[in-house]
Amino acid sequence: MKPENLPSTIRHWIGGELVDAADGRTFDVCEPATNAVYAQAARGASADVDRAVAAARAAFPGWAGLSNRERANTLYRVADAVEARHDRLAAFETYDSGLPITQAKGQARRAAENFRYFADVIVALVEEAFRQGEEQFSYVRRTPVGVAGLITPWNTPFMLESWKLAPALASGCTLVLKPAEWTPLSASLWQEIFEEAGVPAGVVNIVHGIGEEAGQALVDHPDVPLISFTGSTDTGRHIIRSSAQHLKTTSMELGGKSPAVVFADADLEAALNSVVFGVFSLNGERCTAGSRVLVERPVYEEFTRRLAERAANVRVGLPSDPATEVGALVHPEHYARVLNYVEIGKKEARLVAGGARPDHLSDGNYLQPTVFADVERDARIFQEEIFGPVVAVAPFDDEAEAIELANATQFGLAAYIWTSNLKRGHRIAHAVESGMVWINSHNIRDLRTPFGGVKASGVGREGGAHSIDFYSESKIVHVAMGDVHTPRFGASS
């Protein structure tokens, strides 16, 4: 369903003005339910990034010079403005990304909470102080880094933009945001949100474009000391290599192939609910999806059968239909990539559910939720991130094998453990190589906690005070409190 007030042109927002690309270029934006082109977006390049960085630098002294309370009050107004656009945001996000409307409706609330939370954090922030006896006193002064470069992904784009925007602004940084080119629509709402909230011109700048052009220009810019990126591992590696030229600080939230480990003593119904939701919600296009399900052998056949039954009953349909549980994958290129993995999986394992386009949907990027069983550890569908509604299931015989299989990929973002033996749950949680672990729970986030992965799943942590640390520099100031007794080198006797 086409939303009301849909723009036909999506422009950059630089220095408080909506502008075209410096060279006038645009690119097509399509919606995934039919792959029809519905808008043109400005195609940014180096000149556009230069202008945006200049605007951010000019605005930096004023924004950084505000008190934490003043910036927090502005962020509270941003949150209110986001929530006031709840329905419009959900409609835009669904239309542009293929996300089911019932799942898109939660994005405004989550985005608003990001701004409120980091407003609270910056006001309550405590800076450290140290006393060395009666001789010296030392204190930490925290200052914003400067212009932050934010590069965001196409899955739940608006909410993930807010996850970076809120702490960057709370810390006192100004910024340039480069949204994902496949899903630029909801980013067009930020201009009116920030203007309504009273954010000064130039504090936030948005440059649209292709990653290899606009994104690369942002990474290469010498006046952008910090890059926060969420996306694929290969792109993250490239950004780190490019950032080394200017020794930029980077935060990389990258890919995942997260295990869900189900022991025979688990609450199987709860584990099944979590596995089905965790891998098929958001169309399976989520970095923390439990896309490798490892099941203890005594319950392996039962669990796999029930998982296949549930997958077959998942409602695939138009993203705008409230009954839809899995919508359209984001873009034809990504759809072709996921379908290629399905064909690979048919040669590597036993297909027990899905694996094809639903019969009732002849157009668009639709795939029935897909389950492969008896997947070997060296299979590509076990090792590589598919980023779609596809899950690989494999058995294990004991705790040691469960840990070995859980760790048998290059990724280490999230893990899910299901067992009624909490001692074992803790042992597995400590042994699994991942940045985040849930025991007898699905992916419930607490904004105070660090978010990030190990191995090929990322570098650094964001969330809570970790985000403020990332966007800040800490300077230690030492003050003598009494007479200074320094050895008198070179003094005459």
Side-chain angles (χ1 to χ4, degrees):
M1 182 183 298
K2 191 173 183 177
E4 296 180 359
N5 303 315
L6 192 70
S8 59
T9 303
I10 300 172
R11 306 170 77 192
H12 303 321
W13 188 46
I14 300 175
E17 297 180 352
L18 290 172
V19 297
D20 296 323
D23 60 8
R25 292 190 303 163
T26 62
F27 62 92
D28 292 340
V29 184
C30 62
E31 53 87 12
T34 65
N35 290 322
V37 174
Y38 72 86
Q40 297 292 308
R43 183 165 178 163
S46 295
D48 305 285
V49 171
D50 286 344
R51 181 177 175 184
V53 173
R57 291 189 71 194
F60 177 72
W63 183 249
L66 295 177
S67 69
N68 289 348
R69 171 58 72 186
E70 288 173 312
R71 288 198 300 274
N73 287 339
T74 302
L75 265 61
Y76 294 137
R77 294 194 296 270
V78 171
D80 292 341
V82 168
E83 284 192 329
R85 290 159 176 79
H86 176 276
D87 291 336
R88 188 178 176 202
L89 168 60
F92 274 24
E93 206 78 310
T94 294
Y95 187 75
D96 197 34
S97 71
L99 187 69
I101 186 64
T102 53
Q103 296 167 42
K105 283 185 174 180
Q107 301 307 307
R109 180 187 57 80
R110 290 188 63 187
E113 179 58 21
N114 284 335
F115 282 96
R116 292 197 179 103
Y117 171 74
F118 283 107
D120 293 341
V121 168
I122 202 65
V123 169
L125 190 67
V126 176
E127 293 182 335
E128 295 175 295
F130 309 87
R131 183 169 63 88
Q132 295 86 43
E134 300 300 325
E135 298 177 355
Q136 184 164 277
F137 175 77
S138 306
Y139 64 92
V140 174
R141 184 172 186 267
R142 189 189 296 268
T143 57
V145 170
V147 178
L150 312 181
I151 304 175
T152 53
W154 46 257
N155 58 323
T156 62
F158 190 88
M159 191 280 292
L160 289 175
E161 287 158 7
S162 75
W163 173 242
K164 298 182 186 295
L165 287 165
L169 292 173
S171 301
C173 291
T174 55
L175 58 95
V176 179
L177 168 68
K178 209 298 282 185
E181 56 263 35
W182 286 350
T183 54
L185 179 60
S186 60
S188 67
L189 297 175
W190 286 120
Q191 169 249 330
E192 61 186 60
I193 288 169
F194 286 126
E195 288 182 341
E196 182 178 306
V199 177
V203 170
V204 177
N205 304 275
I206 301 175
V207 176
H208 295 283
I210 309 304
E212 292 83 353
E213 297 172 351
Q216 187 68 56
L218 186 58
V219 170
D220 289 341
H221 203 289
D223 294 328
V224 179
L226 176 151
I227 297 290
S228 177
F229 170 76
T230 298
S232 74
T233 296
D234 286 344
T235 303
R237 290 189 176 109
H238 176 78
I239 289 174
I240 290 175
R241 285 193 295 267
S242 298
S243 297
Q245 173 67 24
H246 297 291
L247 297 178
K248 294 178 187 255
T249 301
T250 61
S251 175
M252 301 284 115
E253 197 270 279
L254 307 177
K257 192 70 175 177
S258 302
V261 183
V262 181
F263 285 90
D265 65 350
D267 180 337
L268 295 186
E269 185 67 20
L272 183 65
N273 289 336
S274 177
V275 166
V276 172
F277 180 80
V279 75
F280 298 138
S281 62
L282 305 183
N283 300 342
E285 296 166 329
R286 58 189 307 167
C287 56
T288 55
S291 54
R292 291 183 298 135
V293 180
L294 312 176
V295 185
E296 195 169 14
R297 197 173 297 277
V299 296
Y300 174 74
E301 292 297 337
E302 175 193 355
F303 193 89
T304 302
R305 174 183 57 78
R306 294 175 64 185
L307 175 57
E309 290 171 353
R310 288 283 294 275
N313 289 327
V314 169
R315 174 69 180 269
V316 183
L318 295 175
S320 59
D321 184 349
T324 293
E325 295 170 317
V326 170
L329 300 189
V330 66
H331 191 273
E333 289 182 25
H334 182 63
Y335 182 54
R337 179 180 181 276
V338 174
L339 290 182
N340 183 57
Y341 272 111
V342 171
E343 293 307 308
I344 291 170
K346 289 176 181 178
K347 300 173 184 177
E348 293 182 326
R350 177 166 57 101
L351 178 67
V352 295
R357 173 189 292 276
D359 293 336
H360 65 288
L361 295 165
S362 58
D363 298 316
N365 308 322
Y366 294 100
L367 175 65
Q368 188 68 34
T370 299
V371 180
F372 288 102
D374 308 338
V375 182
E376 298 292 336
R377 61 184 293 162
D378 59 349
R380 289 185 63 185
I381 61 169
F382 188 93
Q383 292 291 335
E384 300 175 18
E385 184 177 38
I386 299 173
F387 220 66
V390 181
V391 62
V393 190
F396 66 87
D397 288 307
D398 54 31
E399 187 175 313
E401 187 180 15
I403 294 169
E404 181 185 13
L405 288 173
N407 292 337
T409 75
Q410 66 170 321
F411 298 104
L413 185 58
Y416 308 88
I417 301 162
W418 290 89
T419 177
S420 62
N421 183 336
L422 286 182
K423 290 183 179 179
R424 174 166 58 193
H426 285 289
R427 285 196 303 270
I428 303 292
H430 297 169
V432 169
E433 297 167 349
S434 66
M436 300 170 288
V437 181
W438 283 265
I439 301 175
N440 296 332
S441 171
H442 63 89
N443 189 349
I444 297 174
R445 286 290 317 285
D446 184 327
L447 293 179
R448 296 170 296 180
T449 60
F451 186 98
V454 300
K455 301 194 292 189
S457 287
V459 176
R461 295 291 183 273
E462 297 187 40
H466 297 272
S467 289
I468 304 301
D469 287 341
F470 176 66
Y471 292 103
S472 302
E473 295 284 6
S474 292
K475 178 186 293 183
I476 183 71
V477 179
H478 302 285
V479 183
M481 302 299 290
D483 294 334
V484 178
H485 302 286
T486 306
R488 302 180 68 239
F489 279 30
S492 58
S493 56

